[in-house]
Amino acid sequence: MKTLALIVRKPGLTRDAFRTHYEEQHAPLALPLMSGLVHYARHHVLEELYGAVGFDVATSFAYRDALALQEVIARLAGPAGDTVLRDELTFMDKPRNRFFEVRERSQLGMRETPAALHCIAFLKRPAEQGAGEFAAELASRGLPELRDALRGLHWYSHHDALASFGAPAWDAVIQLHADVDAGLASWAARAERASARVTIVRVSEHETALVAGGVP
């Protein structure tokens, strides 16, 4: 089971300071309470390539199963999570954070291959369009055109957002590793003319190596 958290920094805090606190203090503090986590990566926003971003890091979690996620939520809500919560309040604007489940639809290439450009595209479908129709259209036309907007594409992963915890902030999340941006803004503008809302960000990626049970 995979989830994505879009986290906003506290007003007055720079992105550099936010990233440093998250990586050096918060992630190590929270991880011991997250048994059952099998993947944990933070994608910190470096630059908005298109659209208004509205968050400062996209944190991706993969859990052993849905029960493992519920156990983590329960631990964080209990006394053991008090220290983590207090730390969140020092650097996050928590009311603006968003959290939703995602499901991988397709993937291509090797994620580990070195690439100069790491970016993520977020798309929201038009209100009048159904989720299935939007996903099918994106897979058949939008995604091939997106790949053509890059040079030296090494890897991409396309995820659908699910409504498990209420309406998701976005409907599709596409991670991309490539050598050169050869027209991402033009691709996004075309997608928006077709009524989708699009944001594309360049990110730095920070992944914690985990073993069984979520222990680094």
Side-chain angles (χ1 to χ4, degrees):
M1 181 178 187
K2 297 181 180 180
T3 62
L4 190 68
L6 306 180
I7 300 173
V8 184
R9 71 185 188 272
K10 192 172 182 177
L13 200 64
T14 67
R15 275 188 176 151
D16 284 346
F18 172 84
R19 181 174 61 251
T20 296
H21 185 102
Y22 200 131
E23 295 304 314
E24 296 183 3
Q25 297 186 53
H26 185 71
L29 182 67
L31 194 56
L33 298 182
M34 303 181 77
S35 178
L37 194 67
V38 296
H39 176 79
Y40 179 39
R42 285 79 58 203
H43 310 277
H44 289 276
V45 175
L46 298 176
E47 179 185 8
E48 292 88 354
L49 300 177
Y50 188 91
V53 61
F55 57 89
D56 297 284
V57 65
T59 300
S60 57
F61 307 86
Y63 297 89
R64 182 182 62 247
D65 50 33
L67 178 59
L69 170 58
Q70 294 305 318
E71 290 173 346
V72 168
I73 291 174
R75 282 194 293 272
L76 290 173
D82 286 348
T83 302
V84 175
L85 175 59
R86 287 196 300 271
D87 184 65
E88 289 176 345
L89 296 174
T90 68
F91 77 112
M92 294 181 187
D93 189 355
K94 282 183 65 68
R96 296 177 62 197
N97 293 348
R98 296 293 179 266
F99 172 85
F100 52 95
E101 184 182 356
V102 295
R103 177 180 57 207
E104 186 172 270
R105 175 172 285 266
S106 63
Q107 185 176 144
L108 177 70
M110 298 291 294
R111 185 177 183 274
E112 297 77 14
T113 305
L117 175 68
H118 294 180
C119 58
I120 308 177
F122 298 86
L123 292 91
K124 185 71 175 177
R125 72 180 190 271
E128 67 276 9
Q129 188 175 33
E133 180 187 357
F134 172 78
E137 184 176 306
L138 178 61
S140 65
R141 186 178 65 183
L143 191 53
E145 292 179 355
L146 175 57
R147 294 197 298 262
D148 288 343
L150 296 161
R151 294 290 178 270
L153 177 64
H154 297 283
W155 174 80
Y156 80 82
S157 180
H158 170 199
H159 285 76
D160 294 330
L162 306 179
S164 314
F165 307 102
W170 302 91
D171 292 294
V173 180
I174 306 168
Q175 292 176 252
L176 301 139
H177 291 181
D179 292 331
V180 177
D181 174 356
L184 287 173
S186 296
W187 173 86
R190 290 196 301 274
E192 289 205 327
R193 285 196 293 271
S195 300
R197 181 162 61 90
V198 182
T199 286
I200 304 177
V201 293
R202 185 171 66 87
V203 298
S204 63
E205 297 187 343
H206 307 257
E207 182 175 348
T208 300
L210 300 175
V211 296
V215 179

